[in-house]
Amino acid sequence: GNSVTQMEGPVTLSEEAFLTINCTYTATGYPSLFWYVQYPGEGLQLLLKATKADDKGSNKGFEATYRKETTSFHLEKGSVQVSDSAVYFCALSARGGSTLGRLYFGRGTQLTVWP
Amino acid sequence: KAGVTQTPRYLIKTRGQQVTLSCSPISGHRSVSWYQQTPGQGLQFLFEYFSETQRNKGNFPGRFSGRQFSNSRSEMNVSTLELGDSALYLCASRDGGGDTQYFGPGTRLTVL
């Protein structure tokens, strides 16, 4: 089946620290992979995506590389800011059939950045 | 383009009542998916509509239903509300050819 596992939170960092949030997946077929971010009281915002092996998605200083051999899509940022405090979700979209229109999400990782 | 909009943003209902939530997708997007978000269960898929047809459905009871109109706007309905239906309900739209979903701000439903 299709599933996503991401590291348990919460994650607490000081400003300018390095961030890694681990995400691994299982999927039938060849999925697309996403990171979404949710700020308090809001919906999910697309942060970045990758659609094939070795693709690197990047946005706002965040990066993630689609690793087929390790079935992983870890999120990284070199220097976090207080404004990055939010919940981060890893997700996959499988190809077709009974998975149409459905994203499979991890449980989310709460990130808090202190000044 | 305007983003996905959802109305209302907040709702308070009592057990046994029913509720209808509305979602307007990004212009040109014909697919709308609905999700329920709770602290205990996380993000769970409800259903997906494309061109007024339900193409996929998650593992929710029949009290949860939806529909899509010819302008791609979608509604979901929950009948006979239970306390456990309290959640953030999110809708997302995508164009038919892609797999990237764009989310609305959600409707926060509280059942008392």
Side-chain angles (χ1 to χ4, degrees):
Chain A
N2 301 298
S3 66
V4 174
T5 302
Q6 60 181 108
M7 64 186 284
E8 296 280 329
V11 174
T12 303
L13 295 172
S14 298
E15 206 165 28
E16 299 183 4
F18 184 85
L19 168 71
T20 299
I21 301 177
N22 290 336
C23 171
T24 58
Y25 68 90
T26 59
T28 52
Y30 205 175
S32 292
L33 301 173
F34 305 85
W35 277 99
Y36 284 87
V37 59
Q38 186 174 36
Y39 298 99
E42 298 185 11
L44 274 65
Q45 295 179 22
L46 176 67
L47 184 58
L48 53 84
K49 64 178 281 189
T51 58
K52 60 183 187 296
D54 301 325
D55 262 4
K56 177 184 283 190
S58 61
N59 186 25
K60 300 180 182 179
F62 291 90
E63 294 182 339
T65 301
Y66 190 144
R67 300 289 187 199
K68 187 169 184 288
E69 63 277 11
T70 55
T71 61
S72 65
F73 193 55
H74 305 320
L75 182 68
E76 296 181 336
K77 187 176 185 184
S79 177
V80 294
Q81 305 300 312
V82 172
S83 57
D84 294 327
S85 298
V87 181
Y88 292 80
F89 292 92
C90 184
L92 73 81
S93 173
R95 309 287 185 191
S98 63
T99 65
L100 279 172
R102 175 176 184 169
L103 288 172
Y104 296 81
F105 286 94
R107 293 304 302 265
T109 302
Q110 172 74 56
L111 170 66
T112 301
V113 181
W114 296 98
Chain B
K1 285 184 181 178
V4 177
T5 58
Q6 293 187 244
T7 56
R9 291 293 310 276
Y10 301 92
L11 268 177
I12 300 176
K13 294 287 187 179
T14 57
R15 280 181 300 175
Q17 288 187 308
Q18 75 166 19
V19 67
T20 299
L21 314 182
S22 181
C23 172
S24 292
I26 292 171
S27 177
H29 286 191
R30 295 164 64 191
S31 168
V32 173
S33 298
W34 288 88
Y35 297 84
Q36 181 195 65
Q37 185 179 25
T38 59
Q41 299 298 317
L43 282 151
Q44 294 186 284
F45 173 74
L46 282 155
F47 27 66
E48 189 248 6
Y49 285 86
F50 182 85
S51 293
E52 302 179 66
T53 300
Q54 187 184 88
R55 298 196 302 181
N56 199 1
K57 189 176 190 307
N59 188 25
F60 278 82
R63 301 186 296 108
F64 291 81
S65 63
R67 59 178 176 169
Q68 187 180 34
F69 302 94
S70 59
N71 62 357
S72 295
R73 189 177 70 85
S74 178
E75 291 180 347
M76 67 163 282
N77 183 277
V78 188
S79 62
T80 319
L81 284 166
E82 300 177 359
L83 295 179
D85 297 333
S86 294
L88 181 66
Y89 290 88
L90 294 162
C91 84
S93 77
R94 64 186 178 98
D95 67 47
D99 56 8
T100 301
Q101 295 189 21
Y102 299 90
F103 284 80
T107 295
R108 172 73 63 184
L109 172 64
T110 302
V111 182
L112 303 176

